[in-house]
Amino acid sequence: MEPMVLNLTSMRTSSDGAWQGDNPLNHAFPLLIVQTTLVLFISRLLAFILKPLRQPKGGILLGPSALGLIKDFSPIIFPSWSTPILESVASIGLLFYLFLVGLELDLRSIRRSGKSAITIALAGISLPFLIAVGVTFLMRKAINGENKVGYPQL
């Protein structure tokens, strides 16, 4: 099977239908529906299978390490031209999810544990940063050719 070449400037969103001899998977919206259905079905199936084993959902199967090994799977179901569309829809889904998380957030519980939470957060950020700065200066002295590398302009 030859790889399909698509002109992105003439990409259509919907097809005339399979009965008219048109392949719906060559169009953005039908392909998005197939991709979304496949991702949801596989993730729900794996959640059902792996739940008794107390394992996380196995979304890795959709990637190149499992289903991607099937010769015609990725070029047909996840062609390269459809990646920006799928990523855009995924970003919108993430936006809605974070909005719902924000709606359920209880600010009173954050205010109650505020001082200790801020202390832990600042220590968790600043301590590794300071250690990395110190290691950078030590590594600079240990690597040959340190005189050729300058400090960044601030």
Side-chain angles (χ1 to χ4, degrees):
M1 183 172 156
E2 289 183 26
M4 182 175 41
V5 178
L6 282 174
N7 183 0
L8 292 178
T9 59
S10 66
M11 184 186 346
R12 293 178 43 206
T13 56
S14 61
S15 74
D16 294 330
W19 301 115
Q20 302 298 323
D22 197 9
N23 184 359
L25 297 180
N26 291 341
H27 302 280
F29 192 64
L31 184 61
L32 179 65
I33 292 172
V34 169
Q35 290 170 337
T36 306
T37 303
L38 183 69
V39 167
L40 289 174
F41 176 75
I42 289 178
S43 65
R44 296 293 179 177
L45 178 69
L46 288 173
F48 178 74
I49 292 171
L50 297 175
K51 188 174 183 178
L53 302 173
R54 298 183 185 267
Q55 294 296 313
K57 297 176 186 173
I60 197 167
L61 286 180
L62 287 169
S65 56
L67 289 178
L69 294 176
I70 300 172
K71 183 182 175 200
D72 291 330
F73 179 75
S74 289
I76 293 173
I77 303 298
F78 295 103
S80 60
W81 61 266
S82 72
T83 304
I85 300 166
L86 190 60
E87 286 177 353
S88 298
V89 171
S91 295
I92 292 171
L94 178 64
L95 180 83
F96 283 136
Y97 174 73
L98 292 175
F99 176 72
L100 291 175
V101 168
L103 284 178
E104 294 176 5
L105 187 65
D106 184 19
L107 291 176
R108 284 179 274 149
S109 66
I110 294 175
R111 286 188 190 118
R112 271 187 257 131
S113 63
K115 202 168 196 177
S116 62
I118 289 175
T119 306
I120 292 170
L122 287 176
I125 292 170
S126 58
L127 200 63
F129 179 75
L130 293 174
I131 291 172
V133 168
V135 168
T136 302
F137 284 108
L138 292 175
M139 293 281 291
R140 184 173 166 82
K141 299 296 182 194
I143 296 176
N144 291 334
E146 78 277 353
N147 55 352
K148 297 177 185 172
V149 179
Y151 289 100
Q153 300 273 336
L154 295 178

